[in-house]
């Protein structure tokens, strides 16, 4: 059972759905994680990747840019650089 108020749990279950090749279920869980914590960079990053896997490049780019801004504001350079690479790859 998942704690209804725990954004990390939704994010992790979304990761499991993404790994199973079900981006729509992953996106639904990332939506919940972000609803619970609107400044949750990993949720935006992962939802962006799931949107990309589902073929929604516009939504993917929006989420990845939001994740990059959050990670930059937090001073998390490693994750910021990773997201910037994902944005670059999306443009190819």
């Amino acid at each position: 059972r998942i704690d209804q108020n725990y954004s990390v749990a939704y994010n992790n279950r979304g990761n499991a759905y993404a790994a199973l090749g079900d981006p729509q279920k992953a996106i639904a869980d990332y939506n919940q994680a972000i609803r619970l914590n609107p400044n949750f960079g990993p949720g935006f990053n992962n939802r962006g990747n799931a949107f990309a896997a589902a073929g929604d490049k516009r939504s993917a780019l929006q989420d990845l840019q939001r994740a990059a801004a959050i990670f930059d504001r937090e001073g998390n350079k490693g994750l910021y650089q990773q997201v910037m690479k994902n944005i670059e790859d999306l443009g190819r």
Side-chain angles (χ1 to χ4, degrees), residues 2-91:
I2 194 166
D3 181 340
Q4 297 295 316
N5 296 311
Y6 189 45
S7 60
V8 173
Y10 282 104
N11 184 67
N12 290 344
R13 189 170 70 179
N15 289 343
Y17 284 131
L20 292 172
D22 193 338
Q24 295 307 319
K25 283 186 179 179
I27 290 167
D29 275 345
Y30 299 139
N31 287 341
Q32 282 296 102
I34 292 165
R35 184 184 65 77
L36 291 169
N37 183 353
N39 292 308
F40 187 51
F44 283 102
N45 179 59
N46 294 334
R47 188 174 72 177
N49 291 332
F51 277 133
D56 185 347
K57 207 171 179 177
R58 183 175 158 264
S59 294
L61 184 58
Q62 288 175 341
D63 274 358
L64 292 173
Q65 288 172 333
R66 178 80 185 266
I70 291 168
F71 292 140
D72 188 41
R73 187 173 57 247
E74 292 174 347
N76 191 332
K77 297 301 178 197
L79 288 177
Y80 173 80
Q81 290 173 345
Q82 180 183 354
V83 174
M84 292 307 292
K85 183 182 181 326
N86 289 347
I87 291 170
E88 181 182 324
D89 291 346
L90 190 61

